[in-house]
Amino acid sequence: MSTIEVLSTITELHDRLGQARDRAALTGGDTRIVLVPTMGALHAGHLALVRRARALGDIVVVSIFVNPLQFGAGEDLDSYPRTLDADLAALAAENVSFVFAPSAREMYPGGANDTRVAAGPVGSLYEGAARPGHFDGMLTVVAKLLNIVTPDAAVFGQKDGQQVFLVQRMVADLNVRTAIEVVETVRETRGLALSSRNRYLDEAQHTAAQALFAGLSAAVEAAPAGPTAALAAANARIATQPLVKLDYLVIVHPLTLLAVPGDYRGPARMLVAAQVGTARLIDNVSLTLG
């Protein structure tokens, strides 16, 4: 277990990263910096991102920041789990170099950014339709973190499939020189995607929530028959659990994230979101249609 440095200001982080780069330059070496952006409340899924980051670079920076810009009215900003001490213990065991844990005032000194990154039309679909402005806030803070850390790579989890798509598109559209690495979704034994919000589920809700991955798995099996069959299979499986209130279930093209037509054949991704008790849960899988 390593000693971990927790930095709360941008100036401190710049100083420490600059020192690390200078030390590497003196020995003729290079220093690859990899960022793992998180909102804390870390679980095994986050730690999988950290391990991928360690494999990609010399210095791993994990940011822990509950970003107010991506929470809408009535969402769980105030109650979102904040477990910094436990998070730091877990990251120290993973040999993380730095944790950047700024305050909202540090990230948004004026109270909120007047300048925002717009997620565009795809940002208003699916999660964006349920949470207006969410993806503008997410992209804005990711852009700020990429500019603050200037990492060679940043690591995200596939569970947040729409987020990954939008981050990759932002980086390409704005010519950001950071490679975006994506780690497959980490799941519980029976398939439920790990999420910080799973802690809101009671025992019955937790059992019911497993129907989401069961539905996605049914869709993968039915995919050779086409989109209509895949959607029907997933819907039928999820409908067996009345505690799962389905929001959307859609099959999209991986290059556009737009819904595919009924006669589409080829690679695709199924996205799902549902309310289970007070928890909003999302998941996705890749599938091949036809």
Side-chain angles (χ1 to χ4, degrees):
M1 181 180 294
S2 65
T3 301
I4 196 164
E5 287 195 64
V6 183
L7 308 171
S8 60
T9 71
I10 296 168
T11 298
E12 289 175 326
L13 182 63
H14 283 170
D15 287 346
R16 297 297 290 118
L17 291 178
Q19 292 166 13
R21 289 188 176 103
D22 290 344
R23 284 195 299 271
L26 287 173
T27 60
D30 192 16
T31 300
R32 280 185 57 82
I33 296 173
V34 184
L35 170 67
V36 182
T38 82
M39 294 206 301
L42 303 184
H43 50 65
H46 294 109
L47 299 183
L49 306 184
V50 171
R51 292 179 193 123
R52 178 59 179 153
R54 279 190 8 235
L56 290 170
D58 309 294
I59 293 177
V60 175
V61 179
V62 175
S63 64
I64 297 177
F65 178 61
V66 181
N67 176 34
L69 292 193
Q70 64 196 70
F71 288 80
E75 292 189 329
D76 58 347
L77 172 61
D78 292 336
S79 62
Y80 192 86
R82 292 163 171 83
T83 58
L84 184 59
D85 289 344
D87 294 345
L88 294 178
L91 293 173
E94 296 294 337
N95 296 315
V96 167
S97 308
F98 303 109
V99 170
F100 179 48
S103 65
R105 182 179 295 275
E106 179 69 13
M107 291 296 285
Y108 305 115
N113 274 25
D114 288 332
T115 302
R116 306 281 180 97
V117 178
V122 172
S124 66
L125 302 175
Y126 322 128
E127 283 304 288
R131 307 176 65 189
H134 166 72
F135 286 118
D136 291 356
M138 178 277 294
L139 289 178
T140 298
V141 80
V142 169
K144 286 174 71 72
L145 288 168
L146 294 179
N147 282 325
I148 290 165
V149 180
T150 61
D152 298 279
V155 185
F156 292 82
Q158 181 58 55
K159 181 191 74 92
D160 299 295
Q162 190 174 5
Q163 171 177 283
V164 165
F165 175 87
L166 291 169
V167 169
Q168 289 174 321
R169 193 182 63 179
M170 177 186 74
V171 165
D173 286 352
L174 299 184
N175 304 106
V176 179
R177 297 179 64 181
T178 296
I180 303 301
E181 294 283 332
V182 183
V183 173
E184 282 302 312
T185 304
V186 178
R187 301 182 180 279
E188 297 179 0
T189 303
R190 296 184 61 183
L192 181 64
L194 294 185
S195 169
S196 302
R197 290 187 167 95
N198 288 358
R199 67 187 67 201
Y200 298 153
L201 303 172
D202 64 25
E203 186 175 352
Q205 292 163 348
H206 187 272
T207 298
Q210 293 163 3
L212 292 175
F213 182 66
L216 295 176
S217 299
V220 172
E221 292 182 9
T228 301
L231 285 166
N235 267 306
R237 182 63 186 85
I238 294 169
T240 65
Q241 291 291 346
L243 292 179
V244 178
K245 309 300 182 185
L246 193 63
D247 181 356
Y248 60 79
L249 181 70
V250 61
I251 300 176
V252 300
H253 195 288
L255 299 183
T256 65
L257 226 69
L258 300 177
V260 300
D263 60 352
Y264 175 77
R265 298 295 183 267
R269 187 163 288 276
M270 177 173 272
L271 310 177
V272 65
Q275 195 76 23
V276 185
T278 62
R280 180 178 178 83
L281 304 180
I282 61 174
D283 203 347
N284 64 93
V285 293
S286 65
L287 64 169
T288 302
L289 297 163

